Amino acid sequence: MILLILGASWPLELLEKLRDKRMSGLVLAELASIVSRRRNVLHKTLRRIGARDELAVPVVLLYVLKRFGLEYRRIDGRGHIYPLGDFYLPLAIVIELSSKVRLKTLDLLHLAYIAALKEQGEEIHELVTVDDGFKREKEAIKRELKIQIKTIGIPL
């Protein structure tokens, strides 16, 4: 299985070619942010399909999931960090990973979602992203999460 980190500049033809694709809630939240900032396109689409404004972002997210054969995976659970206490599982994993993989918080969160999904039994073997930030920590990520990182370039 592949977990994707989507962005506004993803080449759609590549997204169509990949198989067995999953998205975390974090990726859906990022995609919602991208979609909501494109209000003019969003409102035109809403008028065409007759949807209410408050449904705009969820409708577009559902369309993207269906159109590209993506599956959303929810994270359940809590993790304990001694001596701090209980945290939402991805946040607990970020705190643990931060001393082993030197990345920005958002990138660590993506990795934490992968680790949490793997703990829930998902078989994730690869992370596909356009974010070059993962390249320099590729070996640490492979060691800690047992996944491959595939960074794809964006054609100019």
Side-chain angles (χ1 to χ4, degrees), residues 38 45 58 83 99 113 138:
R38 297 194 172 158
T45 305
S99 64
Y113 271 83
K138 197 175 197 172

Side-chain angles (χ1 to χ4, degrees), residues 115-149:
L117 287 169
K118 288 180 82 163
E119 281 185 26
Q120 290 179 189
E122 294 284 342
E123 291 185 24
I124 300 173
H125 306 288
E126 186 174 44
L127 169 68
V128 179
T129 181
V130 295
D131 186 342
D132 284 338
F134 288 94
K135 278 184 182 177
R136 65 175 161 53
E137 289 294 310
K138 197 175 197 172
E139 291 305 314
I141 294 167
K142 186 176 180 179
R143 181 180 64 247
E144 296 300 321
L145 297 174
K146 314 289 188 269
I147 62 167
Q148 299 294 320
I149 300 295

Side-chain angles (χ1 to χ4, degrees), residues 32-91:
S33 174
I34 291 166
V35 167
S36 68
R37 287 178 294 187
R38 297 194 172 158
R39 287 280 178 208
N40 57 343
V41 174
L42 201 53
H43 288 298
K44 284 180 195 174
T45 305
L46 284 175
R47 280 192 299 265
R48 275 194 304 207
I49 63 173
R52 298 187 320 259
D53 279 353
E54 62 270 14
L55 294 177
V57 173
V59 165
V60 171
L61 293 178
L62 182 60
Y63 169 78
V64 169
L65 288 169
K66 297 293 183 194
R67 167 69 175 79
F68 296 103
L70 300 163
E71 291 184 40
Y72 160 66
R73 290 294 193 249
R74 190 179 90 202
I75 303 293
D76 293 316
R78 304 190 69 71
H80 186 81
I81 301 291
Y82 180 82
L84 300 172
D86 290 341
F87 289 84
Y88 174 55
L89 186 57
L91 297 179

